[in-house]
Amino acid sequence: MKTKFSSYCLNGIADGCQYCVKGEKLVLFISGVCSINCWYCSLSKKRKNIDKIYCNERQISNIKELIEEIKESKATSCGITGGDPLLFINRTIKFAKIMKNKFGKKFHIHIYLPTKYATDEKLEKLSKYVDEVRFHPEFLINKNSAGKDVKNIRLAGLFWNKPDIGIELPLIPEKKKQILEFILQIKDYTGFVNLNEFELSETNFAAITREYKLKEGGYVISGSREAGLWILKELEKR
């Protein structure tokens, strides 16, 4: 279960992650604007809810600068994130299309999407240039949204193969049972789940330090890793 990348895994690693662990993924931050406002969001103050584009750590404003950064970093692939890329669907598609046309079909692109605005029309447009989609459901901030989360994630199956559809969530310790239940709900529609240790940042500092303890000498919430291991063990039984 433990990997050589200081993580834990059950049943293999998603294609996009395999590029990441080798340091081959360029990170394209398409915008910091998002309509969900998750209380645990870890974006920095210079990015959160600000409409700026970053390529790795370099702020860019055009395609030329994107191409330069890809070449300089020797990236073989790209992860598109935000904010919510679906709020900037034309910009997102423009950048993804350019990367595919310039660097070829083998240039792997994955994208992170909140489920809120995931429609069949938008997902179909993205699927022409994006190889892998990773959703961030809303049920952790609104338990009543789980049904809509599942519905919108299922839409991705119209345009991507199951192994290329996943979800990514922070490991909030007291939500471990809720997370497990959601994973079981979407298991027939997704090929992978990424669970990230729950971390402190400058924008969630007040909320986290009020409610949680940190691991000694670090900025990871105590109990987060243990919650992830519990979920993995429960899934092994299924």
Side-chain angles (χ1 to χ4, degrees), residues 20-77:
C20 285
V21 296
K22 293 187 287 186
E24 296 180 2
K25 277 273 181 181
L26 174 111
V27 179
L28 176 58
F29 183 85
I30 207 72
S31 174
V33 176
C34 183
S35 63
I36 300 177
N37 195 31
C38 300
W39 63 267
Y40 48 76
C41 179
S42 59
L43 283 183
S44 66
K45 289 180 179 179
K46 74 174 184 177
R47 295 196 185 194
K48 188 172 183 178
N49 292 321
I50 296 173
D51 186 21
K52 291 183 179 179
I53 307 170
Y54 288 87
C55 199
N56 291 334
E57 296 302 314
R58 172 185 180 182
Q59 187 179 338
I60 66 170
S61 58
N62 56 57
I63 295 296
K64 180 182 178 182
E65 292 173 324
L66 168 67
I67 301 302
E68 287 175 354
E69 183 63 25
I70 292 173
K71 290 180 177 179
E72 289 177 10
S73 64
K74 296 182 173 59
T76 65
S77 46

